[in-house]
Amino acid sequence: ECTEERVSFSVPDGAVLFAGSRRGVVPAPTASLLVAGLARLGFSFLVGCAAGVDERFRYTLSLTAVTEEHACVACAFEKRAAEIGRTWLFASLVVPEGVNPRAALRRRTLWLVKRADLLMLFPDDPETGRWGRGSALSRAFHTDDCAIASASS
């Protein structure tokens, strides 16, 4: 469970990670259907703190009956964690402070992927299927025990 302790928290089994481009757009109905359906199946949720796909799923999670212990926002920067933490969503800095910004984003992505049982990726351009850097890193890093679903809107 995600708790508000800064030192330690855990991600429940059965976690789905929504990830994709900062410039990507996921239609609200698509995000709502995915969250509602996966919540009914007992999944918990992981999402990053960026704009685009992350932002859509954070917003969708904030509108649903998903409880705080079933949704966790992983942040690369303390400022973002504090901003998001002012909402009901649990947000945590998952990268050591002082890491350069580019490395921090990579470490945050890897932190998320390592804890996900299902990785739901949304490409930069659904027509061409081209992935952004973070999505490509997520896809390349997945392990055999993590299912990947490539989604387009």
Side-chain angles (χ1 to χ4, degrees), residues 3-58:
T3 64
E4 291 199 10
E5 290 180 23
R6 288 190 156 249
V7 178
S8 174
F9 65 91
S10 64
V11 174
D13 288 337
V16 60
L17 166 60
F18 294 113
S21 172
R22 288 183 196 98
R23 292 176 299 279
V25 176
V26 177
T30 301
S32 294
L33 287 170
L34 284 169
V35 168
L38 291 166
R40 275 193 302 277
L41 293 172
F43 281 91
S44 58
F45 300 95
L46 295 170
V47 67
C49 60
V53 171
D54 290 357
E55 187 172 28
R56 166 58 71 198
F57 282 100
R58 285 194 314 272

Side-chain angles (χ1 to χ4, degrees), residues 20 30 41 45 51 53 66 91 100 107 110 114 132 137 145:
T30 301
L41 293 172
F45 300 95
V53 171
V66 173
N100 90 33
R107 286 178 131 187
L110 294 174
K114 285 180 185 179
L137 176 63
D145 61 345

Side-chain angles (χ1 to χ4, degrees), residues 2 18 38 62 78 85 89 96 105 122-123 139 151:
C2 289
F18 294 113
L38 291 166
S62 74
E78 182 63 41
L89 293 173
L105 292 170
F122 294 83
R139 188 174 182 193

